[in-house]
């Protein structure tokens, strides 16, 4: 939509932030008590019920409002056109999730977005915009592990269990910064590549935050003459959050599942983001993994590059020395 009509603007303003979050991002809501919520993404942003309305305030920034539209423009930085389109379902920014009230110990029914027959947008985004090797993307597309969602044109990254059942769907918007996993996804079975699928036994596993980082690293491997198919790679599909006492942190469930299924694994290579949360996560994982007897290599992108994809697009072409781009091999 190229502009916002008065009617669309009026309709968009009717949705309050709590309803928006419950519909699109329920994982971001923390209920503090009846009539009072806060956001995980912005812990100083509170939502409360007052005089028959749900209001929100981002206390640390001195910003507040009632509608989801105010939130998207003031907090998320969306343009008015995109924000209205998102709320009214007229743009392909976010994939709605289906909230389900089931006990935590039970696995929720997995929501699997319908597949689009259009594959061109996958290559346009992952290859042309993100710089990932086309043949590598095609491998995953052909196996059904990457596809385009039909309704919202998001890229879907699929995780399977050992029997080939879909257990997780991670989404990445082709517009904006939208990322999430759909309702009912089981993080034990993330988007990944496993060497045994090509009859290769490899005792090393490479760990990433996002599928795009994993695919970027596979591309970097190819540039060095290394076939990713002989390596184990896991995308956590989210940021790993350690405990306050780093030594008490838990191994991510996806990595623990890998250890359970490939017990000969003895080495973990960390390729997490080059920012505060990524560096903290790397420190915590190094502590807990080394305590359990694993050899750990911390291999973030070089300083100045945020993640593997940033390095692929902007740094790798000017880095020549093998030492700076060494791929840890099975020992």
């Amino acid at each position: 939509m190229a502009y916002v009509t008065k009617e669309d603007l009026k309709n968009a303003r009717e949705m309050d932030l709590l309803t928006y979050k419950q519909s699109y991002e329920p994982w971001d809501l923390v209920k503090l008590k009846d009539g009072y919520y806060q956001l995980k993404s912005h812990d100083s942003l509170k939502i409360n019920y007052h005089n028959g309305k749900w209001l929100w305030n981002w206390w640390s920034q001195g910003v507040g409002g009632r509608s989801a539209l105010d939130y998207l423009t003031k907090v998320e930085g969306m343009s008015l056109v995109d924000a209205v389109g998102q709320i009214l379902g007229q743009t392909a920014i976010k994939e709605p999730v289906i909230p389900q009230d089931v006990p935590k110990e039970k696995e929720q029914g997995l929501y699997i977005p319908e597949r689009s027959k259009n594959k061109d947008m996958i290559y346009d985004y992952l290859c042309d915009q993100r710089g990932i090797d086309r043949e590598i993307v095609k491998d995953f597309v052909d196996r059904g592990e990457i596809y385009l969602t039909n309704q919202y044109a998001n890229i879907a990254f699929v995780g399977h269990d050992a029997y080939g059942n879909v257990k997780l769907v991670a989404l990445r918007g082709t517009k904006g910064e939208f990322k999430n996993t759909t309702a009912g996804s089981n993080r034990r079975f993330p988007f990944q590549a496993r060497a045994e699928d090509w009859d290769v036994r490899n005792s090393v596993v490479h760990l990433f935050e996002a599928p795009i980082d994993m695919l970027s690293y596979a591309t970097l491997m190819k540039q060095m003459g290394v076939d990713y198919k002989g390596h184990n790679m896991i995308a956590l599909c989210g940021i790993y959050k350690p405990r306050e006492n780093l030594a008490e942190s838990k191994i991510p469930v996806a990595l623990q599942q890998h250890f359970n299924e490939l017990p000969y694994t003895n080495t973990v290579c960390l390729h997490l983001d080059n920012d505060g949360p990524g560096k903290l996560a790397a420190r915590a994982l190094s502590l807990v993994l080394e305590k359990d007897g694993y050899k750990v290599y911390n291999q973030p992108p070089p300083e100045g590059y945020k993640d593997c994809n940033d390095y692929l697009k902007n740094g790798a072409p000017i880095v020549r020395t093998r030492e700076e781009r060494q791929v840890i091999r099975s020992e």
Side-chain angles (χ1 to χ4, degrees):
M1 72 194 259
Y3 64 93
V4 178
T5 66
K6 288 183 179 180
E7 183 179 0
D8 283 342
L9 184 60
K10 179 175 180 282
N11 291 335
R13 287 198 182 282
E14 291 179 356
M15 181 178 285
D16 61 72
L17 180 57
L18 180 63
T19 301
Y20 175 84
K21 285 291 181 179
Q22 288 174 331
S23 300
Y24 287 91
E25 300 170 349
W27 58 88
D28 197 28
L29 278 173
V30 178
K31 184 175 181 179
L32 301 178
K33 59 183 180 181
D34 287 344
Y36 204 63
Y37 293 80
Q38 76 175 33
L39 301 189
K40 290 182 180 178
S41 57
H42 305 287
D43 58 11
S44 70
L45 194 153
K46 305 295 193 297
I47 305 172
N48 69 292
Y49 192 72
H50 181 69
N51 290 337
K53 297 179 180 179
W54 287 101
L55 307 176
W56 63 268
N57 278 285
W58 193 11
W59 296 103
S60 66
Q61 302 298 317
V63 176
R66 185 196 69 81
S67 68
L69 186 63
D70 288 338
Y71 167 81
L72 292 174
T73 54
K74 295 177 182 179
V75 178
E76 298 298 334
M78 278 191 188
S79 69
L80 184 65
V81 170
D82 283 345
V84 170
Q86 168 58 37
I87 293 168
L88 300 182
Q90 295 169 306
T91 59
I93 297 174
K94 294 185 184 293
E95 190 89 33
V97 297
I98 301 175
Q100 302 190 24
D101 295 321
V102 298
K104 286 186 178 180
E105 63 270 19
K106 293 184 180 179
E107 184 175 341
Q108 298 179 355
L110 174 62
Y111 172 55
I112 305 176
E114 183 180 348
R115 294 171 182 256
S116 169
K117 294 181 181 179
N118 181 356
K119 297 180 181 179
D120 291 342
M121 285 185 67
I122 298 174
Y123 296 104
D124 289 345
Y125 182 72
L126 294 179
C127 304
D128 297 342
Q129 296 185 43
R130 293 298 196 137
I132 298 167
D133 182 82
R134 190 178 183 87
E135 290 184 359
I136 292 174
V137 173
K138 187 176 185 300
D139 285 343
F140 287 89
V141 171
D142 289 347
R143 293 196 299 269
E145 294 171 3
I146 293 178
Y147 70 91
L148 188 75
T149 66
N150 190 45
Q151 186 177 6
Y152 290 89
N154 291 318
I155 307 293
F157 301 93
V158 179
H160 298 88
D161 64 13
Y163 303 99
N165 301 309
V166 177
K167 289 293 184 178
L168 175 145
V169 181
L171 300 172
R172 181 63 170 89
T174 55
K175 300 178 181 178
E177 294 299 319
F178 170 62
K179 306 171 190 175
N180 88 316
T181 55
T182 64
S185 287
N186 187 335
R187 291 186 180 275
R188 288 186 179 276
F189 306 99
F191 180 74
Q192 62 183 305
R194 185 166 286 185
E196 282 194 350
D197 291 342
W198 289 278
D199 299 321
V200 177
R201 181 184 172 97
N202 194 323
S203 62
V204 180
V205 60
H206 299 263
L207 197 66
F208 306 85
E209 289 182 18
I212 286 177
D213 290 328
M214 189 187 102
L215 295 170
S216 297
Y217 191 75
T219 301
L220 291 168
M221 284 182 170
K222 185 172 181 178
Q223 291 177 357
M224 296 174 62
V226 177
D227 188 352
Y228 81 93
K229 292 178 182 177
H231 296 262
N232 302 303
M233 296 188 288
I234 294 174
L236 295 176
C237 303
I239 298 173
Y240 171 74
K241 296 182 179 179
R243 293 190 174 180
E244 187 173 349
N245 182 343
L246 298 187
E248 296 178 354
S249 300
K250 300 293 185 180
I251 295 174
V253 292
L255 186 57
Q256 186 60 60
Q257 184 71 22
H258 183 87
F259 293 156
N260 295 342
E261 295 183 6
L262 277 66
Y264 56 80
T265 303
N266 58 29
T267 304
V268 180
C269 296
L270 305 176
H271 306 277
L272 307 182
D273 284 7
N274 220 350
D275 55 14
K279 291 177 180 179
L280 185 64
R283 284 173 54 201
L285 286 172
S286 296
L287 282 173
V288 297
L289 290 169
E290 288 174 350
K291 182 176 65 177
D292 285 353
Y294 294 97
K295 182 176 288 187
V296 180
Y297 292 89
N298 186 22
Q299 295 185 306
E303 285 298 325
Y305 302 101
K306 180 184 180 298
D307 52 35
C308 289
N309 185 248
D310 183 26
Y311 179 50
L312 172 66
K313 292 191 300 179
N314 302 310
I318 62 173
V319 177
R320 303 293 183 182
T321 61
R322 191 174 185 83
E323 290 74 17
E324 291 184 78
R325 294 172 57 184
Q326 181 183 10
V327 177
I328 303 301
R329 312 233 179 189
S330 186
E331 300 177 357

